[in-house]
Amino acid sequence: MPIARPSRSPDREPRPDRAAEAGAREAVQDHGRTMARPVPSRQSLRGLDWFIFFLADVQTGFGPFIAVYLTTQKWTQAQIGLVLSIGGIVGLIGQMPGGAIIDAARSERRVAGLAVAAIGCSALAYAVWPIFPVVAGAATLHAAASCVLGPAIAAISLGLVGPRGMAERLGRNARFASLGSGVAAAVMGTCGYLISSRAVFLVTFILAFPTLIALSRIREREIDIARAHGHALQEDSEGARLSGLLGLLRQRALLVFALGVFLLQLANAAMLPLMAGVVTTKSSEWAPMLIAFCIVVPQAIVALTSPSVGAVAQQWGRRPLLMLGFAALTVRGALFAVVHDPYVLVAVQIFDGVTAAVFAVMIPLTVADVAFGSGHFNLAQGIVGTATGIGASLSTVMAGFASDRFGSATAFMGLSGVALAGLLLIALLMPETGQREIRA
């Protein structure tokens, strides 16, 4: 007769294998690290700070200094305008391809380095050989490289700190960009005055080297590629709905926001040039100094307040700040229409600082809110960048026509009305994007 084996008590579980138990513990720990907010090293964060600072220095050399330099080289205004138009068209067309390149890149840092090197070579070409074919090629190269640098900075930031740290990080980005632009304008203006306008582009070329050194300080292994491209780390219904380009383009928030940014630029881009013409007419002797202050005042406000904008965006949400930026722009346009004292016009630029501080942070932050989980975060930036370029291009044409036909006061009121339309669009149609739960 066979001996019956004792049955195992139902409340007694087999002892787990030690290796399996250790593996389970490690998996839980890894999951916890994945879900926790990333903690990049101080070296990488400081490297990103200084990369943005020096990059703003480099980009400043391609501002108004181009027209001044080419004029000293006996170029006609038609030739200068054609070169600037070439750069503008390339910059507009390249916004979405630039974002797609960053989404497809295996290393955002490497792409950014190549773009900085291309811009440095463009500056050297301006300085060494200022003939039309070379300058036109340099303008094209600079515009194309700039199309990938904006998305690259946002992608590196997102890859380092994750969505939960993005608001604070974008505030720091805006601060260092503003500081870099201000310092560069002073340094390059001094070099152009004391040496020659050609020296501005030689300084720009030299500044490309510290920019690359700062970029090299960002540790490649700390940039999460999936996160930098806007991929959700865990699949859920929202992530599945957002996956793919068509899903991204169906997002109402992105389309409404792109339209809002278009209205922002349509209202904003022409205000300072139009106001500069008014100031020059009323006080030609002091016009250069007054215009300089009109540029410096907003930059100072951006440098001082941008980190606070990021922090407030986490507490209040995105829509209140977007509405604040549009409201400041609306008031600024209306004041430009009724104020006649040139010195008071400079004080009105405080409202420009508010708008600039808000949107320097809120544009990439809102895009990150909407596009995270689609895998096309940088392409979404390109879509909004295209709306920015179209709005800015139409703004100067529209305001110039209105000023010539109906007077500057009417033109300013029209621009203020466009800003008010943007305010109403955000208030009535834009959903709050900051309250949606985003996995880091």
Side-chain angles (χ1 to χ4, degrees), residues 63 78 80 112 117 121 127 148 198-199 210 216 222 242 246 261 322 343 371 394 403 413 425-426:
I80 295 173
C121 292
V148 302
R198 186 190 303 267
S216 70
E222 295 182 6
L242 281 172
L246 292 179
V261 171
L322 292 172
Y343 300 96
L394 293 178
S403 180
M413 288 304 297
L425 177 74
I426 297 299

Side-chain angles (χ1 to χ4, degrees), residues 31 44 48 57 137 168-169 180 185 204 235 288-289 343 351 420:
H31 175 74
S44 293
L48 181 55
D57 289 353
E168 179 182 354
R169 180 66 248 178
T204 299
E235 293 294 329
M289 184 64 68
Y343 300 96
F351 291 98
L420 180 61

Side-chain angles (χ1 to χ4, degrees), residues 264-432:
L264 168 75
Q265 293 301 325
L266 189 63
N268 183 63
M271 276 197 190
L272 184 57
L274 192 61
M275 191 270 283
V278 173
V279 170
T280 303
T281 301
K282 295 181 179 297
S283 180
S284 59
E285 181 180 356
W286 290 97
M289 184 64 68
L290 292 173
I291 298 305
F293 275 110
C294 286
I295 296 172
V296 169
V297 167
Q299 293 287 350
I301 293 174
V302 172
L304 291 172
T305 62
S306 292
S308 300
V309 171
V312 171
Q314 292 297 86
Q315 299 175 0
W316 292 4
R318 303 346 181 195
R319 286 178 69 250
L321 285 174
L322 292 172
M323 293 169 63
L324 174 63
F326 273 109
L329 183 57
T330 303
V331 172
R332 177 178 166 227
L335 289 176
F336 278 162
V338 299
V339 171
H340 302 291
D341 188 329
Y343 300 96
V344 178
L345 289 175
V346 175
V348 174
Q349 281 295 91
I350 292 174
F351 291 98
D352 186 27
V354 173
T355 301
V358 167
F359 284 99
V361 176
M362 297 309 299
I363 288 178
L365 181 59
T366 305
V367 173
D369 290 342
V370 174
F372 193 79
S374 69
H376 295 289
F377 164 57
N378 301 292
L379 179 58
Q381 291 188 85
I383 293 171
V384 174
T386 301
T388 298
I390 295 173
S393 300
L394 293 178
S395 177
T396 51
V397 175
M398 181 184 75
F401 175 80
S403 180
D404 290 341
R405 189 73 180 269
F406 306 106
S408 59
T410 302
F412 280 125
M413 288 304 297
L415 295 175
S416 178
V418 173
L420 180 61
L423 173 61
L424 294 176
L425 177 74
I426 297 299
L428 300 176
L429 298 179
M430 181 71 187
E432 174 55 61

Side-chain angles (χ1 to χ4, degrees), residues 95-107:
Q95 289 294 324
M96 285 191 280
I101 288 171
I102 296 299
D103 278 331
R106 299 296 301 171
S107 171

Side-chain angles (χ1 to χ4, degrees), residues 40-51 54 109 156 160 209-223:
S41 66
R42 183 181 180 86
Q43 174 184 316
S44 293
L45 295 176
R46 289 297 186 188
L48 181 55
D49 288 341
W50 289 108
F51 172 65
F54 285 117
R109 197 180 68 158
I156 291 171
L160 282 175
F209 291 95
T211 307
L212 291 172
I213 292 171
L215 180 63
S216 70
R217 298 289 294 169
I218 304 172
R219 294 174 178 170
E220 185 78 57
R221 65 178 181 273
E222 295 182 6
I223 304 173

